[in-house]
Amino acid sequence: MICDIFNKLCEHRVVSILRGVPSETLEPVLDALCKGGVYAVEITMNTDHGLDMIERAKKHVGGRMMIGAGTVLDAQTARLCILAGADFLLSPVLAPDMIALCNQYDKLAVPGIFTPTEALQARRLGALMIKVFPVGSVGPQYIRDLLGPLGQLSLMPVGGVTLENAADFFKAGAAAIGVGSCLVSGALAAKHDFDEITRRAKAFQEAAGPRA
């Protein structure tokens, strides 16, 4: 099952990170993303009512979208996210206990790294996909540099991915990208500008292109 989740994430390619999005706007935000062709979402644990939002997302679009939990720092939080229905879990850090618990429950762990040593350690701990965070200061070339000696890794750049550089990250070898406020921001959701979310989703999917 972990491999199935991994393969779907690689197929979808764009993960929309929902941080600070008002809880009451969740369902129309998810519908807007689906309308724009983005079928993977990460609901962060530092968003109010994050666990409840994961449960609601699974009920609303579970058959259409992959639902992830973000900012998962430890095994205790990971377990709660899995019980809420998360398909995959992401962390900004390399948290071995989170990876182990995800593997135990057959869910995909996406730990955060920044160095080659951390990247290899994450893979040895069983992570099939690895989040490179934050990439804003290093850019797409850093993904290419990491994959030079570590071509067996599947990398997801996060933290600084924009519409202007998304295509370059894929050209550098990224398996998927995580996009925050450039796709969905709390302010945009609060204004109920769901058409703009759909427009941005379409633009990011176009930048991602088809899976190689």
Side-chain angles (χ1 to χ4, degrees):
M1 179 150 179
I2 292 178
C3 288
D4 291 339
I5 297 170
F6 167 78
N7 288 334
K8 285 184 180 179
L9 205 56
C10 290
E11 179 181 345
H12 293 323
R13 294 170 71 76
V14 178
V15 178
S16 175
I17 303 169
L18 304 188
R19 176 177 285 108
V21 170
S23 175
E24 65 273 14
T25 67
L26 175 64
E27 285 81 2
V29 165
L30 296 175
D31 290 338
L33 288 168
C34 286
K35 188 176 179 181
V38 170
Y39 299 110
V41 66
E42 168 192 342
I43 299 171
T44 69
M45 288 301 96
N46 57 351
T47 291
D48 290 342
H49 312 294
L51 287 172
D52 175 67
M53 290 172 73
I54 289 174
E55 291 182 359
R56 286 165 49 200
K58 285 294 288 187
K59 291 177 183 177
H60 187 66
V61 289
R64 291 182 287 161
M65 294 188 85
M66 297 182 66
I67 308 301
T71 320
V72 180
L73 303 178
D74 51 56
Q76 292 86 349
T77 305
R79 184 174 183 275
L80 292 174
C81 293
I82 291 170
L83 291 174
D87 300 305
F88 61 102
L89 287 77
L90 305 97
S91 179
V93 298
L94 179 55
D97 59 341
M98 185 273 277
I99 299 171
L101 189 126
C102 286
N103 290 339
Q104 178 181 337
Y105 284 92
D106 217 17
K107 300 296 182 180
L108 180 70
V110 189
I113 65 92
F114 194 70
T115 68
T117 299
E118 290 177 330
L120 186 57
Q121 183 182 356
R123 187 66 188 89
R124 286 173 173 169
L125 288 168
L128 296 184
M129 185 169 287
I130 298 165
K131 170 179 169 177
V132 184
F133 174 84
V135 297
S137 61
V138 289
Q141 183 59 42
Y142 190 59
I143 300 299
R144 193 185 311 276
D145 292 342
L146 283 175
L147 291 174
L150 299 171
Q152 73 273 31
L153 303 182
S154 295
L155 303 179
M156 178 193 294
V158 179
V161 179
T162 67
L163 186 56
E164 288 72 28
N165 63 24
D168 290 332
F169 276 110
F170 283 110
K171 290 175 184 176
I177 56 173
V179 187
S181 59
C182 289
L183 179 44
V184 178
S185 67
L188 198 62
K191 291 192 299 182
H192 291 196
D193 195 350
F194 305 119
D195 288 341
E196 175 62 14
I197 292 174
T198 295
R199 187 195 68 78
R200 294 184 185 188
K202 288 179 179 178
F204 271 102
Q205 277 300 139
E206 184 177 346
R211 183 182 176 186

